Amino acid sequence: MDAHDAASALPDLPFLNHAPGQRISFWMCTGAGLPLPPRSPSMLHLPRCALVLLALFAPSLTHAQAPGQTVVTADVDRFWNTYDRIQATSDPKQQLQLLKALYIDPGSAGLKAFMEVKGCTAEKYVDLLRKYPRYWASIRPLSLSVKTRTVSLAPELEKFEALYPAMRPAQLYFLVGCMTSGGTTQGDKVLIGTELAMGDESVDVSELPDKTRTWLSGYFRTRPADGLVLLNIHEYVHTQQNGPGPTLLAQVLYEGVADFVAEKITGQTPPLPYMSYGPTHLEAIKARFKMEMDQPSYDGWLYNSAAGSHFGVGDLGYYVGYAIGNAYYQRATDKKEAIRRMIELDYTDAEAARGFLADSGFYP
């Protein structure tokens, strides 16, 4: 779940710009060259976890799962109730007051965390609501459907705990963000922005700037709501990690390991172009990556669109990290210990990342 100067997928929306070192969220945004905007480095990972039963994203506003685990959907209803009130007036000042008083101020800890990580403000929300009314009207029923959608995470979380017994508990929050991320984390909080994560081809993106429209159209064609389990497990892995990485190699490992561990748990990989392109062009990718892996910039590899990639495929760094993790795992005789090391590796330490790469045998 933010790291870098790669708002290339959404350059026409100024509020999506993020500072260097800020991590963009996860593959939801990446795929098809669709990066999802940022979350600040400090909260960028999310150890969440376990012991948990996220069996249903049920209609209840807040419900407990296992000890220390809750699923909170109250912010979704709160947002759309606020939206109705905002639609009743054309006065921007009054709209801003309503947004603050009815949505932000009484919002959950998850909403507050999401806003902090993703740079959302009341002003940004109101600006988006005023600029893109057709988008919001069309995403509304999809956003609200998260409450009744059965997303069985319990079996996956049980597998995760079996694979990594040190998994820590967390809270899962569904909310409505400011179009900057479908999924991110902060500390023990998994944060899902339903205005992106629940989209599909029915969402009206016609009012959006050209590049943003292209990005979201492609992203919504992947039907991200169908991958909520995989998304949440990827983010759960992040909650267990220590990052972000100070170098391209470290950050690529941080993201790719999350993909790898999520695959071990769910049997799935992200339905994104980097996962199909990577294996068929691995040698060329490895050669280019080796020249750039120690640089502090993630440009060309992470949180970028196809246009911003060295190979015309967004977020290839995810695949590189995944491939390194897989190489390490295949070499290991103790598979559970391999998973433990991957999760607990200090991604903030460039030398630790270098050591892991050497041990993987990825480069002979």
Side-chain angles (χ1 to χ4, degrees):
M1 266 305 174
D2 282 271
H4 335 83
D5 249 349
S8 51
L10 307 159
D12 295 311
L13 295 182
F15 59 85
L16 293 181
N17 294 334
H18 50 292
Q22 214 179 2
R23 174 178 180 275
I24 295 201
S25 310
F26 181 54
W27 51 264
M28 317 198 27
C29 27
T30 78
L34 323 172
L36 278 194
R39 72 185 179 214
S40 72
S42 57
M43 29 258 343
L44 115 8
H45 314 132
L46 344 153
R48 340 133 191 315
C49 3
L51 336 183
V52 191
L53 318 157
L54 299 176
L56 280 187
F57 297 158
S60 57
L61 298 181
T62 301
H63 47 287
Q65 302 295 328
Q69 178 72 36
T70 54
V71 176
V72 181
T73 60
D75 291 309
V76 176
D77 279 328
R78 188 178 293 115
F79 177 85
W80 292 110
N81 289 336
T82 302
Y83 171 86
D84 288 337
R85 294 286 300 276
I86 287 175
Q87 297 309 301
T89 177
S90 59
D91 181 355
K93 290 184 179 180
Q94 188 174 357
Q95 291 175 333
L96 187 63
Q97 292 171 349
L98 288 168
L99 197 289
K100 289 178 179 177
L102 302 180
Y103 182 55
I104 295 176
D105 291 348
S108 71
L111 175 62
K112 303 296 197 302
F114 188 97
M115 292 181 67
E116 180 182 359
V117 173
K118 291 300 175 182
C120 297
T121 64
E123 289 77 11
K124 287 180 182 178
Y125 276 110
V126 170
D127 183 58
L128 289 170
L129 291 172
R130 292 176 66 85
K131 283 183 176 177
Y132 311 124
R134 290 198 291 272
Y135 180 90
W136 291 102
S138 60
I139 196 67
R140 178 178 186 159
L142 300 172
S143 169
L144 286 166
S145 73
V146 76
K147 298 182 303 166
T148 54
R149 221 182 144 85
T150 301
V151 183
S152 183
L153 284 177
E156 275 42 90
L157 291 171
E158 290 173 4
K159 292 176 191 175
F160 194 176
E161 188 174 12
L163 193 64
Y164 180 60
M167 188 171 67
R168 300 181 298 276
Q171 292 77 48
L172 178 62
Y173 292 89
F174 290 94
L175 48 91
V176 177
C178 55
M179 296 178 68
T180 54
S181 178
T184 189
T185 58
Q186 184 191 65
D188 65 350
K189 301 176 184 68
V190 180
L191 311 168
I192 305 299
T194 61
E195 84 287 1
L196 290 177
M198 299 303 294
D200 64 19
E201 305 92 325
S202 70
V203 179
D204 188 339
V205 298
S206 62
E207 301 159 314
L208 302 176
D210 290 345
K211 291 181 180 179
T212 305
R213 184 170 62 251
T214 299
W215 169 65
L216 276 180
S217 295
Y219 175 53
F220 287 156
R221 281 196 296 273
T222 71
R223 302 186 69 85
D226 294 341
L228 276 179
V229 171
L230 181 59
L231 166 62
N232 278 284
I233 295 300
H234 174 107
E235 296 296 339
Y236 264 51
V237 175
H238 277 322
T239 63
Q240 310 300 303
Q241 293 173 303
N242 182 30
T247 62
L248 174 61
L249 171 62
Q251 190 66 11
V252 153
L253 287 173
Y254 173 79
E255 294 291 5
V257 162
D259 270 357
F260 180 80
V261 175
E263 180 192 28
K264 287 298 173 190
I265 295 165
T266 67
Q268 302 172 34
T269 57
L272 301 172
Y274 68 78
M275 289 303 299
S276 56
Y277 184 90
T280 58
H281 300 81
L282 185 57
E283 292 310 311
I285 292 169
K286 287 172 68 172
R288 179 66 182 259
F289 182 77
K290 191 172 186 178
M291 294 188 294
E292 301 179 15
M293 64 183 183
D294 292 319
Q295 67 185 18
S297 171
Y298 311 154
D299 287 355
W301 295 98
L302 291 171
Y303 319 123
N304 61 332
S305 65
S309 168
H310 298 311
F311 295 87
V313 177
D315 296 315
L316 264 180
Y318 279 76
Y319 179 76
V320 175
Y322 168 89
I324 295 171
N326 183 54
Y328 177 80
Y329 185 82
Q330 296 306 323
R331 267 190 158 195
T333 54
D334 186 335
K335 303 302 186 186
K336 183 169 283 191
E337 172 59 22
I339 292 292
R340 185 203 63 76
R341 185 184 176 193
M342 281 191 268
I343 292 174
E344 296 182 7
L345 184 70
D346 185 358
Y347 293 93
T348 68
D349 183 340
E351 289 307 311
R354 269 284 198 169
F356 182 85
L357 174 64
D359 292 344
S360 73
F362 185 69
Y363 288 112

